[in-house]
Amino acid sequence: MRDLTRAREDATQDLKAAKFRLKAFLLRHDIRYTGRANWGPTPLRWLSEVVCATPAQHIVFQAYVRSVNDLTERLGRLEQELKEQVQSWRLNPVVEALQALRGVPFTVAVTLVAELGDLTRFDHPSELMNYLGLTPSESSSGERRRQGAITQSGNTHARRVLVEGAWAYRYPTKVSRHLQLRLEKQPKILQDISWKAQVRLCKRYRQLIARGKHANQVVVAVGRELVGFIWAIAKPVDVKP
């Protein structure tokens, strides 16, 4: 499962790079899409109608478009395999439970569990925070104590998806339609933890922003506290050996 989640992550990065190269090519030749900047059906239909000034340029353009299409299909195949393989995984109950949290959809949940394994091996949330490299570094001398940036000493894959998920708490407290669908599958105790996490972390984000902290620093701090709720949800889940 870890190899599969990392393959999906690689495919995502490759697709992002392919889209960047295609957009850079279009901008070099002042070919601009006037609609909304996304990669839905409408922009793709527009791409099929683009004709470049010279045959050589059109060959390059078609190569970039083909690369984006191929990588999109590759990503879709990997995501489908991930959803199928997780069904028979012994840690699937933990993956399902973590999706009760805002900012932790399927891909984030399965990546965290695949990278971290059985979360019950951590006796306290602080141990998990240290493992993920989310605790501040420290430089002390005598009575002087100074904290710096996070240590970043842990699992980079898990830390990345966790911080990405923490961005969801920059918005006001709300149970979205997608989150509600995930919560309907969860017991009452997990629903309560999810709501408690929303109330605390959304408030925490606003407080730190009001104090003048940079948004990136705030999200990392929110992600560190999110780890505590992840640990609390994973602890009572029954996992078969």
Side-chain angles (χ1 to χ4, degrees), residues 47-207:
L47 285 173
S48 67
E49 299 171 358
V50 171
V51 178
C52 298
T54 68
Q57 291 172 350
H58 198 67
I59 289 172
V60 174
F61 169 70
Q62 290 296 331
Y64 284 148
V65 172
R66 182 63 181 271
S67 177
V68 170
N69 291 336
D70 290 346
L71 288 168
T72 301
E73 294 177 1
R74 172 185 160 198
L75 178 60
R77 289 193 302 270
L78 288 170
E79 289 181 341
Q80 183 60 36
E81 286 292 336
L82 197 56
K83 291 178 181 178
E84 293 177 0
Q85 294 291 331
V86 78
Q87 298 301 320
S88 58
W89 192 26
R90 74 177 188 88
L91 293 177
N92 184 43
V94 183
V95 175
E96 293 288 343
L98 292 185
Q99 294 179 64
L101 290 167
R102 180 179 181 176
V104 187
F106 171 75
T107 53
V108 174
V110 72
T111 300
L112 284 172
V113 179
E115 294 293 339
L116 301 177
D118 188 357
L119 298 180
T120 59
R121 62 194 175 95
F122 298 98
D123 295 327
H124 193 271
S126 60
E127 296 180 9
L128 182 53
M129 295 173 191
N130 290 332
Y131 183 81
L132 288 168
L134 288 171
T135 51
S137 58
E138 183 175 330
S139 177
S140 301
S141 177
E143 297 181 356
R144 181 185 177 186
R145 181 172 180 267
R146 181 178 180 181
Q147 289 186 321
I150 59 173
T151 61
Q152 299 187 32
S153 60
N155 188 294
T156 56
H157 301 277
R159 184 170 62 250
R160 181 188 60 79
V161 296
L162 181 68
V163 172
E164 284 184 1
W167 279 103
Y169 294 94
R170 70 186 186 276
Y171 300 112
T173 306
K174 176 185 177 181
V175 178
S176 65
R177 176 177 173 272
H178 295 291
L179 180 58
Q180 181 60 41
L181 292 175
R182 302 203 303 265
L183 286 172
E184 290 174 356
K185 306 175 184 178
Q186 307 298 338
K188 181 68 164 55
I189 185 174
L190 297 189
Q191 294 182 23
D192 292 342
I193 294 175
S194 174
W195 181 248
K196 183 179 179 180
Q198 275 216 60
V199 172
R200 177 177 175 83
L201 298 182
C202 291
K203 180 180 179 181
R204 181 66 170 162
Y205 182 90
R206 293 194 303 270
Q207 288 176 335

